Amino acid sequence: MKIRKISIISILIITVLIISVLKFISKNQNLEQVSDQSEKSELKLTNPLIAEPGMSDPHMLVVDNVCYVFTGHDIGFGINDWVMPDWRIYKSTDLQTWEHVGTISPEDNYMGKGNTSCWAGDIVERNGKYYWYFSNHHDNAGVMVADKPEGPYKDALGKPLVDSFDPTIFVDDDNTPYIIYGRTNYKIARLKESMIELDEEPKTIVINKTTYFPDMDKNSLHKRNGIYYLSCSGYYATSKNLYGPYETQGLVGEGWGLETPYAHGDFFVWKDNWYHVWCHYKDRKIDRIRDCFIAPVIYGPNGEMKDDLSELNATLSKEPNSESEKVVSVTK
C-alpha cells in the first residue's frame, strides 16, 4: 500500500512537471512568434511616405506585392478648413519609394468639377475591377470603378451609395464584401456582388467602451486569426463576430498623432507582414495639412496589437507637435 501511494504521488508530480514544461514551451513559442514577426518586419520604411505635405486619409491596396496607397490631397495651407480638390494614388514595390501614378477627380463623379470636399475613401479589387469608395464631405459616400489600380475611375452610380461618409470596405474569409461607414455610431452592411448596391439594411456596430474610444469617423476594419479589429485613429476594439459587439482594447501606440482622434489610417498585409499607415496633422492650429506615416504591426499571443514605432522614432528626431490635436472634433 505504501509503495502504491508513493507511485501515485510520483505520477502526479511527473504529470504536473510535464504540464508546466508544456506551458513554458507554448508561452515561449508565442513570444518567439511575436519576436519573429518583428524581425521579419525590419526594413527601411519611408517616413513620411512622400516629402510633399498634404497626404491624408490613406487606404492601401496590395496587388501582387505592389502597394497602392489611395489618399486625400490637402492644399489649404494657412486655412482653418479642409481644402481637398482630388484624391491621389501612389505606388511602391518596397515601402520605401513612392511614385504618384494617378489622380481621381470629383469632376468624374456626382460631386462635380471644382469640388474641394474630397474626403476619405477606400479601395478594393473585385472580379478584375477596382472600386473606389469616396466621401463627399460628411454628407454621403459614392463609388467609382476602374479597370486598373491607377485608373482612370468613373462614377459607377451617378449618385450616393450611402448617406454618410468615411467608407471602409472589408472582404471576409468567405469572400463576402461589406461596407462600414459613418461617425459616432458606425454602420455596416453587406454588399451585393456588383459592389455598387447594398445587400441588406445597414446595422449599427455595437462597441462596448470599457476604455477610451473616439466618437469619430475614420474607421478601419481588418481580420487576423479569427479576430476582427475595428479601429478609429490609434484606438482599436476587437470581436469574434463581424457585426460585434466589439470590446475596446486601447491604443496601438503613442506619439505621431496616434493618441489623438484624427489619425485616419489602414492596416494591411505585405509579404506576410502586417503594417499600419495613417495620417498626422503638421499643425492643426494653423491649417489642415497632413502627412502619412507607416509602421510595422506586432501581434501578441492573445491578439494584442501594437505598432513598432522604434524606427520611426529613431529616424525622425523631432516628433511632430500633437498638442494642437488634443481637442476632440465632430468632423475630420
Side-chain angles (χ1 to χ4, degrees), residues 96-117:
Q96 299 174 29
T97 304
W98 295 88
E99 177 189 3
H100 178 208
V101 294
T103 298
I104 305 174
S105 172
E107 182 177 359
D108 297 319
N109 63 43
Y110 66 84
M111 290 172 63
K113 184 177 181 179
N115 195 303
T116 58
S117 294

Side-chain angles (χ1 to χ4, degrees), residues 178-181 185-190 198-206 241-244:
Y178 298 84
I179 184 169
I180 302 93
Y181 62 96
N185 293 313
Y186 297 144
K187 297 289 184 66
I188 182 170
R190 185 174 60 249
L198 302 187
D199 199 29
E200 63 179 344
E201 284 295 316
K203 300 176 178 64
T204 298
I205 297 177
V206 176
N241 188 308
L242 173 61
Y243 291 85

Side-chain angles (χ1 to χ4, degrees), residues 310-324:
S310 57
E311 182 187 317
L312 183 57
N313 291 333
T315 304
L316 302 180
S317 59
K318 184 179 179 182
E319 181 177 342
N321 175 33
S322 63
E323 290 303 312
S324 60

Side-chain angles (χ1 to χ4, degrees), residues 26 73-74 102 131 186 193 197 208 216 246 280 311 324 330:
S26 176
H73 181 205
D74 303 326
Y131 294 88
Y186 297 144
E193 186 62 27
E197 294 179 87
N208 293 328
M216 293 286 284
Y246 286 79
H280 177 64
E311 182 187 317
S324 60
V330 295

